[in-house]
Amino acid sequence: MTTRDVGSSAPGFRAAADTGDGPGPGVAPQSFADVLVSDLLVSPTLVAGATGTLREVSNVAVMAVPDIGPWLRTGQLLITTSAVLGRLVEPIDAFLARLDRRGVSGLAVRLDDPSATLPAEMSDAADELGLPVVVVADLYSQAHPLSGALAESSAWQVDAVFEADRLRRVLVDVVMAGGGFAELAVAVHGELGGAVLITTPDGRQLCRAGSESELNRLASSAALDSTGRVRTDSTEGGLGLHRLGDEFIAVSAISANGIDHGRLVHFSTGHPLRSEDLYLVEQAAAVCALVVARELVVSSVEEKHRANFVRDLLLGRGGEHEHVVAHAKTFGWDLDRPVVVVVIEPDPVGEDEPSMPRMPLVERQARAFTSAVAGRDTGAAVTALATETVILMGVGTDTMNLVHELVATVRGAGGGGRRAFGVGVSRPTDSVDGIPALYGQARTALKVGRQITGAWAVTHFDDLGVYRLLSLVDDDRELESFAQETLRELTADTSEAQDMRRTLEVLLATNINIAETARQLHFHYNTLRYRVVKLEKMLGSFTDHPELRLDLSLALKIMAMRGINS
């Protein structure tokens, strides 16, 4: 917005130029107590939150509408009426808590009924928060230099409400006509201009609308990462208004049934976005939530049928091959071809609590993989089960490359703080009768790959080698006992033991080729010969006994698989 000259005020409460992005003039920082003795407020009486009178006031705004969120600022003195507070949807104590979280300095209220008082719960909440609340005879002194700017801010809010109502009507008509996200994005662009994106909660684009020039500018802006994902994990792409050089972005959450389902993003290079623009984007996002709610009703039933069908397949209860193939086609899946089973499971690590409730993690990951697979294998089946996502996809010459592509797409550039997951891939099968065995292979690859590699493991069953056999031993104590009895001192959790285990590992891998082992480990030939002598004193003459070398190799793999002293 343009800077407003609000002049100078009476001593003790100096006006300052406002360089914010919405209504509300800036003032030279003052304590709330100083504001009370200035001539801005008309007959102020402190009624609650007395412990917060030292809060700093740096801007003033009139709350003319209940939905004040877009106009809240840190250090703000908020002036309103009891009639506006009476139209709040949320409880008054929750409203005051929201003001406190946003850094609002205090609240001034004009009682529309002079004989009325503020509700007790409002006073109690203000006292608990230390948020000063005063009762005033009028919104502000009409003679004060700030009065013009405050009247303007109030008018802007009211105008924004009427404009938002008109926008809602336009968008609701689109939804009532059967339109989805794509049609809504086009409609929002038609009303607001710029470029419009609708994304998942983690920023993956679902649809977009706008002029070619604006979309090209958006694609190259700092708002998106290298994969085209909106940076929802950073300040630039978080909720609210943001400036990126000479570009502006407004981001609002699309939430339905209290769950975060995505983002509506408005990008502009033509003019600065203000609080009023964010308000309009938030209202448009509320209409987008109607589409989510409508689709959830339909998809929940369909997803239940899909999950039951896949679960039966994995348990070998799908029925005859022809029946399974025909049933799969009703879901758009092609199982009449060689397929592999891919299992994706979230890694068992902690996750930061999101700012708002989100759909279950496995469902989010399943949706992400559905989107990623769609452009690569249109006949693949992607289903969210209780704790994992299962994909039945066609076999190609580069199946593992495709799996790594999918993981990179879902994971995003560097992970972006999103929850890690492991992936297991089976061998192929030509018949649906083989799917249960493939599922077991994928589960084994996932489990063992995670044990060996750790987070973000992507493992094919054929790459497990002897680990496949070791994974069949359920008694961890027996495996650990074998490793300790075979490797002896080398099982110690010391840097020296780890170093000697590495030497032994390379020796076994090169079939006791001293020269090659020395080259790989960057040791002098004589140094390595000394180490071989030392190892044989600890472990026995493994250079002369192939059976002992096999035992040592298995013991090293057990330590790697079980994460012993790794």
Side-chain angles (χ1 to χ4, degrees):
M1 68 179 279
T2 57
T3 300
R4 290 195 295 272
D5 181 8
V6 295
S8 60
S9 71
F13 195 59
R14 302 182 306 280
D18 177 23
T19 57
D21 52 16
V27 299
Q30 308 279 314
S31 70
F32 192 88
D34 290 335
V35 175
L36 288 180
V37 298
S38 74
D39 56 355
L40 173 67
L41 301 178
V42 181
S43 304
T45 302
L46 182 66
V47 295
T51 57
T53 54
L54 294 181
R55 293 189 180 213
E56 187 177 88
V57 177
S58 57
N59 63 93
V60 186
V62 173
M63 175 180 168
V65 296
D67 192 4
I68 190 65
W71 293 283
L72 293 177
R73 298 287 179 272
T74 299
Q76 187 173 70
L77 166 61
L78 195 60
I79 307 173
T80 189
T81 69
S82 57
V84 174
L85 292 178
R87 298 188 183 99
L88 289 172
V89 176
E90 61 189 328
I92 192 65
D93 55 346
F95 171 70
L96 292 182
R98 181 156 63 96
L99 298 187
D100 184 59
R101 287 195 302 272
R102 293 292 297 272
V104 171
S105 299
L107 183 65
V109 183
R110 185 193 71 193
L111 299 177
D112 295 293
D113 180 357
S115 63
T117 58
L118 296 179
E121 58 269 25
M122 182 176 182
S123 299
D124 293 342
D127 284 335
E128 183 176 348
L129 294 168
L131 180 69
V133 176
V134 298
V135 170
V136 293
D138 203 350
L139 291 180
Y140 46 82
S141 171
Q142 299 296 328
H144 196 278
L146 292 180
S147 61
L150 292 173
E152 182 184 4
S153 75
S154 176
W156 281 5
Q157 291 178 38
V158 174
D159 288 345
V161 169
F162 281 110
E163 179 61 21
D165 183 63
R166 190 190 66 79
L167 177 63
R168 272 196 304 270
R169 292 173 185 271
V170 171
L171 299 182
V172 168
D173 286 344
V174 172
V175 176
M176 296 300 290
F181 280 158
E183 291 78 12
L184 282 176
V186 171
V188 173
H189 161 67
E191 294 296 320
L192 303 183
V196 175
L197 299 180
I198 296 180
T199 78
T200 60
D202 59 354
R204 285 177 292 105
Q205 295 186 35
L206 299 176
C207 58
R208 61 183 192 167
S211 66
E212 185 175 352
S213 61
E214 286 284 291
L215 290 173
N216 288 338
R217 285 284 297 272
L218 173 59
S220 61
S221 77
L224 307 185
D225 66 18
S226 59
T227 68
R229 186 195 300 261
V230 177
R231 298 180 187 274
T232 57
D233 295 323
S234 67
T235 303
E236 290 80 4
L239 300 178
L241 281 174
H242 306 282
R243 180 170 184 170
L244 310 170
D246 59 350
E247 302 165 343
F248 298 83
I249 185 171
V251 185
S252 178
I254 299 173
S255 59
N257 299 326
I259 296 176
D260 184 8
H261 290 279
R263 299 287 182 269
L264 178 62
V265 180
H266 179 216
F267 176 83
S268 173
T269 58
H271 69 279
L273 297 180
R274 304 184 308 187
S275 299
E276 292 72 30
D277 299 294
L278 175 61
Y279 182 69
L280 294 177
V281 171
E282 290 177 345
Q283 300 309 305
V287 179
C288 290
L290 296 178
V291 174
V292 173
R294 182 185 66 192
E295 292 179 350
L296 284 176
V297 173
V298 177
S299 66
S300 61
V301 177
E302 293 180 346
E303 184 58 35
K304 182 178 180 180
H305 286 306
R306 287 193 292 265
N308 288 338
F309 175 62
V310 170
R311 194 175 289 109
D312 285 342
L313 277 182
L314 301 181
L315 294 175
R317 303 187 308 216
E320 298 295 328
H321 180 89
E322 293 75 12
H323 169 76
V324 170
V325 169
H327 195 170
K329 284 183 179 178
T330 65
F331 298 129
W333 301 339
D334 181 9
L335 299 185
D336 193 19
R337 56 177 177 163
V339 298
V340 296
V341 175
V342 181
V343 175
I344 302 103
E345 184 179 72
D347 285 343
V349 295
E351 181 182 28
D352 293 337
E353 289 297 320
S355 56
M356 66 178 70
R358 303 174 70 180
M359 70 174 63
L361 176 61
V362 172
E363 290 185 30
R364 299 202 309 268
Q365 290 184 343
R367 289 194 175 195
F369 274 98
T370 298
S371 176
V373 170
R376 297 171 173 87
D377 185 351
T378 56
V382 184
T383 309
L385 300 181
T387 60
E388 63 191 7
T389 297
V390 175
I391 304 176
L392 306 177
M393 57 186 285
V395 178
T397 57
D398 57 350
T399 298
M400 283 306 293
N401 286 338
L402 176 56
V403 171
H404 282 289
E405 259 184 54
L406 297 176
V407 170
T409 300
V410 171
R411 182 178 178 181
R418 285 168 282 277
R419 179 73 170 267
F421 53 81
V423 181
V425 185
S426 74
R427 291 171 171 170
T429 183
D430 293 323
S431 171
V432 295
D433 293 336
I435 289 179
L438 265 59
Y439 174 63
Q441 293 174 6
R443 285 293 313 168
T444 298
L446 170 65
K447 174 186 174 184
V448 178
R450 177 178 286 157
Q451 290 173 328
I452 299 170
T453 309
W456 299 108
V458 180
T459 313
H460 193 285
F461 183 72
D462 282 341
D463 294 336
L464 295 180
V466 72
Y467 289 115
R468 286 168 47 197
L469 299 178
L470 295 176
S471 68
L472 298 176
V473 180
D474 293 327
D475 191 343
D476 290 350
R477 292 174 299 179
E478 184 63 32
L479 289 174
E480 293 176 12
S481 175
F482 175 81
Q484 290 169 353
E485 291 172 4
T486 304
L487 295 173
R488 303 177 188 178
E489 296 98 315
L490 294 191
T491 60
D493 188 15
T494 64
S495 58
E496 181 183 1
Q498 290 177 354
D499 187 37
M500 293 299 285
R501 285 202 304 269
R502 173 59 180 160
T503 300
L504 177 62
E505 184 179 14
V506 178
L507 274 168
L508 295 173
T510 62
N511 198 25
I512 318 299
N513 186 321
I514 305 296
E516 176 60 19
T517 301
R519 186 189 67 80
Q520 291 189 24
L521 295 176
H522 306 290
F523 287 160
H524 189 277
Y525 183 86
N526 291 334
T527 300
L528 187 60
R529 288 192 63 85
Y530 168 77
R531 286 200 167 205
V532 171
V533 171
K534 185 175 181 180
L535 284 169
E536 288 197 316
K537 285 182 179 179
M538 287 188 291
L539 307 174
S541 183
F542 60 85
T543 58
D544 296 327
H545 294 85
E547 296 84 359
L548 179 55
R549 292 201 296 271
L550 176 60
D551 288 349
L552 292 171
S553 180
L554 287 174
L556 288 172
K557 291 186 183 301
I558 289 171
M559 293 194 70
M561 187 175 74
R562 301 294 174 178
I564 305 171
N565 297 339
S566 57

